[in-house]
Amino acid sequence: EVQLQASGGGLVHDGGSLSLSCAASGFTDAMYAIGWFRQVPGKEREGVACISSADGATYYAPSVKGRATLSIDNSRNTVNLQMDNLTPDDTAVYYCAWGKWSGQTRRGPMYTFEYDAWGQGTLVTVSS
């Protein structure tokens, strides 16, 4: 069973930066994708960014492109999401997700059905 542990959420001021981490375990697949999604109450879960374990290729949603940077440490099965120039619109619960590789980074947007396992979520609050 794939398990994901997200960490790094918290309170940050408008214009600040935050780093989120996702540690994945319980799988043997050599090729997979790790995605970050976010959700606010009353809205659908929104894909933010994803990365391929095979080549480190990334996809960023238009809402974060230029402000977000994903990196992967394959030796530890850990993905880091760095977000800069945060605004109150970035306030949400952020979830990391693991999916068997199916080309997730080669097409946009991100879909929840492309991912097989989900972490517990970490709250990011950006104050104005």
Side-chain angles (χ1 to χ4, degrees), residues 36-69:
W36 282 96
F37 290 76
R38 64 187 182 186
Q39 190 169 26
V40 297
K43 291 190 176 181
E44 292 186 359
R45 195 164 291 190
E46 172 195 19
V48 175
C50 59
I51 190 166
S52 162
S53 69
D55 57 7
T58 54
Y59 166 81
Y60 298 98
S63 58
V64 301
K65 195 169 186 179
R67 302 188 296 122
T69 304

Side-chain angles (χ1 to χ4, degrees), residues 79-104:
V79 168
N80 190 69
L81 174 66
Q82 173 72 30
M83 292 190 66
D84 302 313
N85 296 321
L86 289 162
T87 75
D89 287 341
D90 294 312
T91 295
V93 176
Y94 283 71
Y95 298 89
C96 65
W98 180 97
K100 295 181 179 181
W101 176 248
S102 62
Q104 288 92 332

Side-chain angles (χ1 to χ4, degrees), residues 66-127:
R67 302 188 296 122
T69 304
L70 268 176
S71 60
I72 187 167
D73 181 346
N74 282 315
S75 66
R76 297 192 299 160
N77 296 328
T78 299
V79 168
N80 190 69
L81 174 66
Q82 173 72 30
M83 292 190 66
D84 302 313
N85 296 321
L86 289 162
T87 75
D89 287 341
D90 294 312
T91 295
V93 176
Y94 283 71
Y95 298 89
C96 65
W98 180 97
K100 295 181 179 181
W101 176 248
S102 62
Q104 288 92 332
T105 59
R106 296 177 182 169
R107 55 181 182 272
M110 295 167 61
Y111 297 100
T112 56
F113 66 77
E114 296 179 313
Y115 296 85
D116 308 293
W118 294 81
Q120 82 283 10
T122 183
L123 177 62
V124 172
T125 304
V126 183
S127 64

Side-chain angles (χ1 to χ4, degrees), residues 22-41:
C22 179
S25 61
F27 60 91
T28 58
D29 305 66
M31 294 179 64
Y32 59 89
I34 295 284
W36 282 96
F37 290 76
R38 64 187 182 186
Q39 190 169 26
V40 297

